[in-house]
Amino acid sequence: MKVHVLHIEYKYGDIYTAHSTKAKANAALYEYVKFYWNETGPGTWDEKMPRKRSEAIDLYFHENEREFVNIVPLEVDSEKLETK
C-alpha cells in the first residue's frame, strides 16, 4: 500500500499528514496555503492568491523563505485484521 506523506516545515515546527493519493495530499496543502495566505504568504504584501491551486502553492512557498514543503510517496505494509 502506498501513502503520500505531506511534510510542512514552518516557524513553529513540522506538520506531517498521510494521504491515500498525491491529489489528496495536494488538496490538503492547498487548504494550508489558503488558510495562511494573508498571514504569512505573499498575501501579506498585497499579492492576490492565484485561482489555480498549483500556482497558489508554488507562489506561497517560492516567496515564503521561512516555510518548506515536501510530498513523499511511502510504501507501507498492510495486514488484514482478523475479527472473531
Side-chain angles (χ1 to χ4, degrees):
M1 166 190 247
K2 185 182 283 190
V3 296
H4 297 270
V5 178
L6 169 61
H7 171 218
I8 301 170
E9 180 182 335
Y10 71 122
K11 67 181 178 180
Y12 297 113
D14 297 289
I15 298 171
Y16 291 94
T17 56
H19 306 271
S20 58
T21 66
K22 186 173 182 179
K24 288 181 180 181
N26 275 315
L29 179 57
Y30 177 71
E31 290 302 315
Y32 173 89
V33 168
K34 192 166 66 171
F35 186 81
Y36 287 107
W37 185 269
N38 289 321
E39 184 178 326
T40 59
T44 58
W45 304 296
D46 296 325
E47 182 79 29
K48 287 191 175 187
M49 191 166 107
R51 288 181 172 225
K52 191 171 180 182
R53 287 181 177 198
S54 61
E55 290 176 9
I57 291 167
D58 289 345
L59 184 58
Y60 181 91
F61 286 100
H62 180 266
E63 295 296 323
N64 185 347
E65 297 177 353
R66 301 172 306 237
E67 296 186 20
F68 305 94
V69 66
N70 285 305
I71 298 176
V72 179
L74 178 66
E75 285 290 333
V76 295
D77 291 330
S78 172
E79 294 185 23
K80 186 176 179 180
L81 295 176
E82 292 184 30
T83 58
K84 294 183 180 187

